[in-house]
Every structure is written in structure tokens, then in C-alpha cells.
Amino acid sequence: MTVEVTRLDNGMTVATDRLESVETVSLGAWVGVGTRHEPAEVNGVAHLLEHMAFKGTERRSARDIAEQIEAVGGHLNAYTGRESTAFYAKILAEDTPLAVDLIADILQYPQFDPDELARERAVVLQEIGQSIDTPDDVIFDHFQAIAYPEQALGRPVLGCPKIVSGLARESLLGYMARHYGASQMVVAAAGKIDHAAFVELAGEAFDSLPAVGKAAAEPARYGGGEFRQSRELEQVHLLFGFEALGYLDPDYYGLMVLSTLLGGGMSSRLFQEVREKRGLVYSVYSFVSAYADGGLLGIYAGTGEAEAAELIPVICDEMVKLTQDIEESEVERAKTQLKASILMGRESTGACCEQLAQQLLTWGRPIPPEEMLEKIAAVDLASLGRLAGRLVASRPCFAALGPLGRVESFDCLAGRLA
């Protein structure tokens, strides 16, 4: 591996992954806090803070930030997750000092100007409104709330309009002061990068981070159940879910293999049975949402009102079949898909940088690709059958949005999985 990691005296982790034959660098700061670290009364503060970080510092206006990164052909962006928040850039290698300085500036000296905050609250409210108007987007928020009811892990990343409208400057400053410290942060880079030079650069740039404690989060408490909302739409949007496991579970890689063979591509069981054989959907897929202490396996499908009556039993049958019969050939195919995804990701500086940072936040160390491939290769039929049984035995989650006249009851659906 070309990965090197240094932990500075202030507790910040600096990591690099040097990639040969590229002329660019992807870099950023990943903070180990997200939506699940928000108190209920300020749900959405992490996401609003992410927006406001770009709205001006003591040295730069919002326009300065945009113009300086684009003047060198780079780009700057951010995202908020449930367990982490990221601020990242991609630039030509010679412009690495500028990108580091920009990110360090917005994370240490944000102004949170009241006028800018008022405007950006309005922007986020528009973003929430757009999500609500996008059924195959908003249904995931309802699904998450059913899976993790009445807890931070189940609340929406964007927040709700009522709370976001009232978030004050003091809320952002307080959240940042509590969580945005050196010990909570990984500064990572991938591409044409020298580790020693980057460590020195990051250490000097991030010299004003406060000392903070480790972010506390309530343990994940899976619930299950259903959400359904009738709306005048062209399609019924459906999400099925099961209690799965987190990143740290020994069966995590088995879960990835199982999800891939179930609904991870055109050769997967769901795609072949639901779309190719029966023509019930345009889009159907499975996914894994993993956290430090829990997770979900989910299935999304969009279908017509009339087709929903046939689709739901078929998906339930496919889940039950996973516990009864898994073929070696499909397991090997799924393993190869995951292997290719890992190795192809190595060709992207952005993917390498993000993966390195997330590994350090999650496991506290970089995970070599060879180690991941070995764990995938070690997955066998017995472990997959055991895992499938564990999933189906959990109380399911079910979310439905659209014309629901042909959507069967939750009890009927759960009975199919018993």
C-alpha cells in the first residue's frame, strides 16, 4: 500500500494515499459527527453548518472562496452523513496548499454572518421542499424513521422545516465548538502527494482547532414497522428493510455479498425475477446501510398501482428463498462484482481519499484492499445462509408512498416472511 498515517500532537489524524501516474489531488477534512449526534431540538444543524461553512470567514467572503478554488480549476464541496461530515476538494497537485488553506479556513474561522444565515436557511428549506417533492428520495427518510424510531439515527439529515427555520447562529457555533476539534477530525489526501509535506501543511493550517471530547451518540435501537402515505403519483414507491449489522460485525462482508447477489446488478435475483421475468418495475435494487453499531439491508422498488399486488409477494418470496437455497455460482459472481468495485475505486483519487478517511474514522486504521478482498473471498454458503436467516427473522420495515389501493397490509407482508 502507498498509505501513510500520522497522528499529530493535537490528536488530529493526517493520512495520504499516493497514486502514481496522476497529476491531481483529492483532499479534505472528515469530521466524526453527523445527524445522529444532534439533539432532537436542533435536528438539521449539522447539515446547515455544512452549508454555512462556505459562506465566509474572517479572511474570505463566500465569493472569494468560490473564485479562489475555481481560479485554479478545482472544485470544493461537502456532505453531511449520519455519522460523519466531510469538506473536500479536488485540485491539480501544485494547488494543494491553497485547497488545504481553504478548508482549514472555513472550519476554523467561519463568520456565520446573520444575513448569510437567513439566506442559507431559505436555501436549505428549498432543498427540503425539493426532497419532499421527490418521492423516491423522501421515502428513504420515512424508512429510516421507521427503522430507528424516536432517536437521532432515525431523524432526517436535512432536518424538518420547523426546526431549520428556527436554527440560530448560536446553535451552529455551539455545535461546532462541541464537535469540530482535532481529535474528531481526519485530514486525508490521495493522488500526487508527498506525505511528509502534507503533514506539515495540515499541521500548520489546522493550528486553531479546539480540544473536544469524543462525540456521544445513543446506541442504535432498531424498531421496524411501517409507514404508508397515499399520494397522487404515477408510481408506488416501496422500501422493504431488515435489521442487519454494522461495519464492525464479523459478518459485514458477508452482508455485502448477500446484498449484491440479491439486488446488486442486472444478474441479481431481484432484477432477473422482478424486472426481466415479470416486467413489474423499471427500478429495483437492494442496499446496505451500515453504522458503527447496527445497520439495515433494504430493498427499493418503484412500480405501477396495479403491479404492486404482484410485486410485494415476489419480493417477500425472494427474501425467504435466500434462507433456503443459495448457489455457489451466484456467490462467486457477487464476490467478483465487489472485488471489481474495490479495485476500480483505486483508480479514482476522490474514492481513495474518502475511503481512507472513512476507514480511519470507523476502524481507526486504513484497511488494505488485499485485506478486504481476503474477507470477501472467505465468505461461504454457510455464513450467507445463517445471515439470511438472521435478516428474515427480524421485524421488517416497510415504507410505501403513492397510490396504495393494491398494497397489502403490513401484517400480511410480515406473514409472508415468517
Side-chain angles (χ1 to χ4, degrees):
M1 282 185 74
T2 56
V3 170
E4 295 183 75
V5 179
T6 298
R7 288 180 172 84
L8 304 184
D9 292 341
N10 65 358
M12 187 172 78
T13 300
V14 182
T16 60
D17 187 351
R18 181 170 178 82
L19 304 178
E20 303 296 338
S21 303
V22 299
E23 297 298 326
T24 61
V25 171
S26 292
L27 61 87
W30 275 256
V31 190
V33 290
T35 304
R36 75 176 300 185
H37 303 97
E38 299 172 342
E41 63 271 16
V42 292
N43 174 221
V45 69
H47 177 250
L48 182 58
L49 189 155
E50 171 222 310
H51 275 242
M52 285 301 299
F54 296 95
K55 296 305 173 181
T57 70
E58 295 176 9
R59 294 192 289 129
R60 296 177 170 98
S61 67
R63 182 165 183 164
D64 290 336
I65 293 169
E67 288 183 345
Q68 287 180 24
I69 192 68
E70 292 186 359
V72 297
H75 65 257
L76 191 63
N77 212 335
Y79 66 82
T80 304
R82 299 192 183 275
E83 294 186 316
S84 64
T85 307
F87 303 82
Y88 58 94
K90 183 165 185 176
I91 66 288
L92 297 176
E94 62 263 28
D95 299 311
T96 296
L98 171 65
V100 171
D101 185 58
L102 280 167
I103 293 174
D105 193 21
I106 66 176
L107 295 185
Q108 292 177 113
Y109 309 107
Q111 289 288 80
F112 296 153
D113 176 78
D115 292 336
E116 288 282 3
L117 178 56
R119 281 190 289 270
E120 205 58 28
R121 271 199 304 257
V123 170
V124 172
L125 290 171
Q126 293 292 333
E127 186 178 0
I128 294 172
Q130 179 175 303
S131 176
I132 292 171
D133 285 345
T134 309
D136 57 348
D137 185 359
V138 71
I139 194 172
F140 281 85
D141 281 343
H142 297 306
F143 174 75
Q144 191 78 16
I146 291 297
Y148 297 104
E150 299 181 1
Q151 56 193 291
L153 196 54
R155 291 194 281 269
V157 171
L158 300 184
C160 67
K162 182 177 179 181
I163 293 176
V164 171
S165 297
L167 287 174
R169 183 174 186 269
E170 290 70 28
S171 298
L172 276 68
L173 289 170
Y175 183 87
M176 197 168 208
R178 288 191 300 273
H179 299 305
Y180 275 54
S183 61
Q184 287 280 83
M185 197 173 293
V186 172
V187 176
K192 188 177 182 180
I193 195 79
D194 177 79
H195 181 73
F198 187 70
V199 169
E200 182 177 0
L201 194 63
E204 292 176 353
F206 290 89
D207 62 349
S208 297
L209 292 171
V212 300
K214 183 174 178 57
E218 59 184 321
R221 293 175 285 105
Y222 177 82
E226 73 164 339
F227 167 89
R228 59 178 67 204
Q229 183 181 84
S230 182
R231 287 175 59 177
E232 292 186 11
L233 300 171
E234 291 297 318
Q235 280 203 312
V236 184
H237 299 269
L238 304 171
L239 267 172
F240 302 75
F242 305 88
E243 183 179 14
L245 41 88
Y247 288 116
L248 305 180
D249 193 287
D251 279 332
Y252 171 71
Y253 288 95
L255 179 64
M256 297 302 295
V257 172
L258 196 68
S259 177
T260 301
L261 71 86
L262 174 64
M266 292 172 62
S267 64
S268 68
R269 290 187 174 195
L270 287 174
F271 193 95
Q272 286 295 313
E273 182 68 25
V274 174
R275 175 169 161 162
E276 296 295 275
K277 182 178 177 180
R278 299 173 183 263
L280 295 175
V281 302
Y282 172 72
S283 178
V284 62
Y285 59 86
S286 62
F287 60 92
V288 172
S289 296
Y291 310 106
D293 56 349
L296 303 167
L297 180 134
I299 298 167
Y300 167 82
T303 191
E305 181 178 8
E307 288 80 6
E310 181 181 354
L311 173 64
I312 292 173
V314 171
I315 290 179
C316 291
D317 287 347
E318 289 303 318
M319 281 302 303
V320 172
K321 287 177 184 177
L322 278 182
T323 69
Q324 301 168 345
D325 179 38
I326 299 176
E327 296 182 2
E328 187 68 47
S329 60
E330 62 182 338
V331 173
E332 291 305 312
R333 190 164 57 243
K335 288 181 179 181
T336 301
Q337 285 179 258
L338 290 171
K339 175 182 177 181
S341 177
I342 290 169
L343 296 179
M344 289 176 184
R346 294 290 306 159
E347 298 178 0
S348 163
T349 60
C352 287
C353 181
E354 179 172 17
Q355 185 177 75
L356 175 58
Q358 292 288 6
Q359 287 172 348
L360 287 163
L361 286 176
T362 303
W363 286 281
R365 67 181 180 91
I367 310 297
E370 296 78 12
E371 181 178 334
M372 289 188 279
L373 296 179
E374 287 174 5
K375 290 183 176 180
I376 290 169
V379 174
D380 57 23
L381 290 174
S383 65
L384 290 176
R386 182 182 69 250
L387 183 54
R390 174 178 171 180
L391 292 169
V392 174
S394 70
R395 185 177 188 231
C397 292
F398 180 66
L401 184 64
L404 305 182
R406 304 291 298 277
V407 176
E408 66 186 36
S409 71
F410 177 77
D411 288 342
C412 184
L413 181 152
R416 295 181 184 280
L417 297 164

